Amino acid sequence: MTNEHSNHPISGNTDYASVVAELDAAATRLTTPCGDGEMVWRRWGDGPALVCLHGSFGSWTHWIRNIPVFAERFSVYVPDLPGLGDSAMPPEPYSFQGLGRIVADGIDRLLPSAQHYDITGFSFGASLAGHAAHFHGDRVRTCILVSSGGMGLTRNEPQGLKNWRRAETDEERAAANRHNLSVMMFGDAGKIDDFAVYLQSENTSRARFRNRILSHRFDNLVTALPHVQAALKGLWGEYDVYAKNRLDERRDYLRSIQPDADVRVIPEAGHWLMYEAPDISNDAFLDMLGHGA
């Protein structure tokens, strides 16, 4: 298999910190309340509003291969979710609904109350996207759930993860993160490049909020999605470790709520599909959002 690099921001640059910093510098930095501090948002581009929510133990950089493409057509709003990246911890008690409300209230502060928007969320972020879409009713045009759980369906559990915190050297830490990417995030370990390992290492080391402490981790969307007025859409990787061989159940669940729900599978991709297969993923996103070629 060949690597896809046409939308990769590195372009031969192996100074990964500078690659991230360059895209960060091109954004407008915004903040909204979060607990005793602020949730940090970044905005790129002009056009209709598109909100992108990252996964657990992540940050805005989960979308680093997608933001430049999205920003050609949208005003792209990407927060660091509460307790992750640059954002403050959320207030207790912790719940998916509470975190979704923080996101929705942040959107209320960033966008005029009458402005419609699209939202997509990856993994943990998909749950928060579903709750935000529930809260905002007909303001939300489209809600794309990427590699989503929370539907009360059977899921597989990754096995053999390594504890990167126990690593004694940078090399051992990088090796542990590369291994974990192969177990959890990628369908093809051969597509794990050094930049992905760098992002994983940076994001996990800065993560303070642990979504594992939340109750209803596996069925938190069951009470929210039936009330979402936006067009529900789903995107999974063929080899997503959590949903492998169970993708039909995800499709059938969404279509039990909205019979015409657009549910697609990215061939040969894993959980972090928008990084592993950026070209085909970006095309799918744009088509689902009505901005395809």
Side-chain angles (χ1 to χ4, degrees):
M1 299 179 186
T2 59
N3 285 326
E4 298 180 7
H5 285 289
S6 63
N7 289 324
H8 200 302
I10 289 183
S11 300
N13 186 356
T14 57
D15 182 358
Y16 305 128
S18 71
V19 173
V20 174
E22 183 177 354
L23 186 56
D24 193 1
T28 299
R29 188 182 178 98
L30 305 161
T31 60
T32 59
C34 180
D36 293 330
E38 296 175 326
M39 184 160 66
V40 176
W41 300 70
R42 292 164 173 85
R43 184 188 69 215
W44 293 264
D46 296 301
L50 170 64
V51 175
C52 302
L53 307 181
H54 63 77
S56 63
F57 290 84
S59 76
W60 68 270
T61 62
H62 271 168
W63 296 96
I64 201 162
R65 281 187 153 186
N66 320 104
I67 290 166
V69 174
F70 294 168
E72 293 176 359
R73 297 166 176 83
F74 296 94
S75 292
V76 186
Y77 292 82
V78 190
D80 284 345
L81 292 173
L84 301 168
D86 293 332
S87 292
M89 286 290 289
E92 298 185 47
Y94 303 134
S95 69
F96 281 98
Q97 292 88 345
L99 295 171
R101 176 59 72 184
I102 291 172
V103 172
D105 288 350
I107 294 169
D108 282 336
R109 288 175 176 262
L110 298 176
L111 301 178
S113 60
Q115 183 173 345
H116 292 81
Y117 68 94
D118 300 296
I119 191 168
T120 182
F122 164 54
S123 192
F124 172 60
S127 287
L128 304 194
H131 285 286
H134 175 201
F135 295 141
H136 275 166
D138 62 5
R139 282 191 65 189
V140 185
R141 293 179 296 251
T142 305
C143 178
I144 304 176
L145 306 176
V146 183
S147 306
S148 179
M151 301 175 187
L153 303 173
T154 304
R155 61 178 247 153
N156 311 312
E157 292 296 336
Q159 303 295 320
L161 294 171
K162 293 185 177 180
N163 190 336
W164 56 268
R165 294 181 181 86
R166 296 178 181 173
E168 297 182 356
T169 66
D170 290 343
E171 290 75 15
E172 290 177 354
R173 187 173 299 106
N177 278 304
R178 184 180 293 273
H179 171 80
N180 291 344
L181 285 172
S182 73
V183 172
M184 290 190 302
M185 299 285 264
F186 279 69
D188 178 0
K191 292 183 178 179
I192 302 173
D193 56 16
D194 291 341
F195 190 47
V197 176
Y198 170 81
L199 297 175
Q200 177 77 357
S201 298
E202 288 293 303
N203 286 334
T204 55
S205 66
R206 299 179 67 208
R208 287 142 289 131
F209 185 78
R210 309 289 192 259
N211 69 310
R212 296 187 185 93
I213 68 176
L214 292 169
S215 61
H216 300 289
R217 285 178 56 208
F218 305 123
D219 63 355
N220 71 87
L221 285 174
V222 170
T223 57
L225 292 186
H227 303 287
V228 169
Q229 297 181 47
L232 282 175
K233 307 193 178 188
L235 198 60
W236 278 269
E238 179 183 8
Y239 300 144
D240 186 328
V241 65
Y242 299 99
K244 189 176 179 180
N245 299 322
R246 303 182 187 278
L247 295 172
D248 288 351
E249 297 175 19
R250 276 74 181 157
R251 178 203 62 207
D252 293 345
Y253 177 78
L254 289 183
R255 290 183 179 170
S256 73
I257 298 170
Q258 293 186 9
D260 60 348
D262 185 354
V263 180
R264 307 188 192 188
V265 175
I266 302 299
E268 301 181 346
H271 193 62
W272 192 10
L273 58 90
M274 65 276 196
Y275 185 96
E276 184 175 4
D279 295 329
I280 189 171
S281 296
N282 287 334
D283 287 346
F285 280 118
L286 295 178
D287 191 46
M288 286 177 156
L289 293 166
H291 287 257

